[in-house]
Amino acid sequence: MLRTPHWRFSTVALLVVALLLAACGAPAQTGTQGSPAAQASPAPESSPAATSTENKLEIFSWWTNPGEADGLAALFEIYKQRKPGVEIINATVAGGAGTNAKTVLVTRMQGGQPPDSFQVHAGQELIGTWVVADKMEPITQIFKNEGWDQVMPKTLLDQITYNGEIYSVPVNIHRSNVLWYNKKIFEEAGLQPPKTLDDFYSVAEALKAKGITPLAVGGKDKFEVPHLFESVLLASYGPDDYPKLFQAGNAALWADPRMTQAVETLNRMLSYANSDRSSLSWGDAAQLVLDGRAAMTIMGDWAHGYFLGKGAKPGQDYGWAPAPGTDGVFMWLSDSFGLPKGAPHRDNAIEWLKVVGSKEGQDAFNPKKGSIPARTDADRNLYDEYLQSSIDAFAQNRLAPSVVHGAAANEAFMTAYNNALNVFSADLDIQTLLQSLQDAVNELAQ
């Protein structure tokens, strides 16, 4: 898998940094907060650098749907037990599956008003945007003090490390390439979840003949079709070549006949999907499956948390399988929290990070969120049938990073990739999409 992406500073990242510097005007704040990352030493766990005397903690995220909101609340409860005098400000930004939140976050960081800690995908979304912009404190010493460097996989630690320093605390691991299906529909139709793309077409035709929408797809949050396509890319290129797509210097892979094949596959899969996808969120699409108005959806396993939040029973009301053509490969992503420079309540933020990285915190959060722990010493008995299967798959499968969710590529490429796929969702113009994707590759080489 892609462990150390050979990315360079992207056009958008440069723009972000330019805006940040223009907004801040000068090295930020006092104490340890203005130290260049290249010279940064591990952050001490207490510091006079906090800029507010208010006993508060502001946590910024986009977790508002059932499951994810429940998991966040579980972390808050643990924090309240550890720090009962602290007022927690739950600064969630709904909509866009994180897109809206990221926009607000950029504005706040530009204005020198960071939250105490914020949700960010481990990998290039964190490193390529905020770390290289010198807006985050290294937290390597906290990792060592808490022993997290001994209980998290090296693959994950590599994704949150830059110039020898660790910059965020992973709270979970999600799987992106999952096909969720309505058990009752499949049982009544005598169908099995498709293992290959050819299987998918056969199953979709059988469902279509029965008047059932084969595939539920959203589009309102602007990541659903790009999400579907990353599984198609993995199926088309395989676990050896898929990660290379996002490494600079491999532009030829985007002109490979497999790319045309992948786009044509996406086009064919969308022909079996609901036509109103632009007005539906990923949660709405999942609900179509739960309600029996569609048979399948391909979504990350936060859909599992969504289903649980709706009272559905795993293995009874819904089933799961690897996305067609991706069996044996675990496409992963991770949510994490970091410590921005200038955090108003820095000491409270550090205590928050300790909750996020703790065994207690991860075992409270993940069963509700629909994800598996980033730690390898979690209590397996707390996890349901699906999550135990995911824990096993993460340990045994080939690993591949998600591009849509920040693990594989920088923010500039992600934006260009997402825009291209969202335009395709509306116009289904294969040649335009192929050209747009090849244009997006330039962002990997900046």
Side-chain angles (χ1 to χ4, degrees):
M1 68 162 297
L2 182 59
R3 290 172 182 243
T4 309
H6 300 291
W7 71 282
R8 288 184 293 179
F9 215 60
S10 67
T11 302
V12 169
L14 281 170
L15 177 60
V16 169
V17 173
L19 290 171
L20 290 169
L21 293 176
C24 297
Q29 307 296 323
T30 59
T32 63
Q33 298 175 4
S35 302
Q39 301 173 5
S41 58
E45 292 198 21
S46 62
S47 165
T51 57
S52 172
T53 57
E54 296 177 317
N55 199 16
K56 296 182 178 180
L57 172 73
E58 184 187 22
I59 300 301
F60 187 94
S61 80
W62 57 83
W63 287 333
T64 58
N65 279 301
E68 56 194 26
D70 298 331
L72 182 61
L75 289 174
F76 286 160
E77 285 303 312
I78 294 173
Y79 189 92
K80 290 174 182 176
Q81 293 170 14
R82 295 189 181 188
K83 301 281 290 185
V86 177
E87 177 188 351
I88 297 176
I89 301 170
N90 183 10
T92 54
V93 177
T99 302
N100 295 345
K102 292 175 187 176
T103 301
V104 174
L105 181 64
V106 168
T107 300
R108 292 190 57 173
M109 297 291 268
Q110 288 175 356
Q113 296 181 327
D116 292 311
S117 185
F118 60 87
Q119 176 194 359
V120 63
H121 289 131
Q124 285 303 309
E125 183 176 310
L126 165 71
I127 301 297
T129 304
W130 299 116
V131 175
V132 298
D134 194 22
K135 304 304 292 184
M136 304 298 292
E137 288 198 49
I139 54 174
T140 310
Q141 193 58 50
I142 299 175
F143 263 73
K144 293 185 180 299
N145 292 347
E146 298 297 315
W148 299 336
D149 55 334
Q150 303 300 311
V151 296
M152 292 189 187
K154 183 178 183 303
T155 295
L156 188 55
L157 295 175
D158 288 346
Q159 289 288 322
I160 55 176
T161 299
Y162 179 71
N163 284 347
E165 297 281 6
I166 295 175
Y167 283 92
S168 71
V169 183
V171 68
N172 66 0
I173 299 290
H174 269 302
R175 186 173 192 175
S176 165
N177 58 320
V178 187
L179 179 143
W180 306 94
Y181 62 97
N182 183 296
K183 289 278 289 188
K184 183 178 179 181
I185 289 176
F186 270 67
E187 288 172 1
E188 290 181 350
L191 296 170
Q192 296 296 318
K195 291 184 177 180
T196 68
L197 290 171
D198 286 340
D199 289 346
F200 173 84
Y201 300 139
S202 297
V203 167
E205 284 293 335
L207 292 165
K208 186 178 178 181
K210 292 180 177 296
I212 300 169
T213 300
L215 183 66
V217 179
K220 186 178 178 181
D221 289 329
K222 305 301 182 187
F223 84 98
E224 294 91 339
V225 172
H227 181 103
L228 173 61
F229 190 57
E230 71 176 8
S231 281
V232 173
L233 283 177
L234 179 59
S236 301
Y237 281 81
D240 289 329
D241 283 352
Y242 164 83
K244 297 176 184 175
L245 287 167
F246 312 110
Q247 297 172 349
N250 289 327
L253 284 175
W254 292 85
D256 190 297
R258 288 175 291 182
M259 185 58 67
T260 301
Q261 176 189 351
V263 171
E264 290 174 344
T265 297
L266 175 65
N267 188 46
R268 188 173 176 184
M269 293 180 81
L270 289 177
S271 73
Y272 294 108
N274 48 299
S275 59
D276 60 346
R277 56 183 173 271
S278 65
S279 64
L280 303 183
S281 68
W282 69 266
D284 295 330
Q287 190 65 47
L288 290 180
V289 175
L290 202 58
D291 291 344
R293 290 186 288 162
M296 301 177 282
T297 191
I298 294 175
M299 184 46 59
D301 52 13
W302 45 92
H304 178 56
Y306 178 90
F307 292 143
L308 293 175
K310 292 290 184 175
K313 297 185 182 304
Q316 296 182 30
D317 298 316
Y318 62 96
W320 56 88
T326 68
D327 190 16
V329 186
F330 191 113
M331 184 181 285
W332 72 275
L333 60 130
S334 173
D335 294 299
S336 70
F337 286 85
L339 182 62
K341 293 183 176 179
H345 314 95
R346 183 179 181 277
D347 290 345
N348 288 341
I350 289 174
E351 292 303 316
W352 166 253
L353 296 181
K354 290 181 179 178
V355 170
V356 168
S358 70
K359 184 174 182 292
E360 179 187 16
Q362 299 210 354
D363 279 344
F365 173 82
N366 286 296
K368 291 181 170 59
K369 178 67 162 61
S371 48
I372 63 176
R375 299 175 62 115
T376 57
D377 61 347
D379 184 350
R380 183 184 176 90
N381 293 325
L382 297 175
Y383 295 81
D384 62 29
E385 178 185 0
Y386 167 72
L387 293 174
Q388 288 191 14
S389 72
S390 185
I391 290 172
D392 293 339
F394 185 69
Q396 299 166 6
N397 285 187
R398 296 282 301 275
L399 302 181
S402 163
V403 60
V404 177
H405 305 287
N410 60 53
E411 189 76 27
F413 175 82
M414 289 164 54
T415 299
Y417 168 96
N418 285 354
N419 288 343
L421 269 299
N422 283 314
V423 169
F424 179 75
S425 178
D427 67 17
L428 300 178
D429 186 327
I430 290 176
Q431 293 306 315
T432 297
L433 175 57
L434 288 169
Q435 185 59 57
S436 297
L437 290 173
Q438 290 195 35
D439 292 343
V441 175
N442 294 329
E443 301 293 352
L444 295 171
Q446 296 299 314

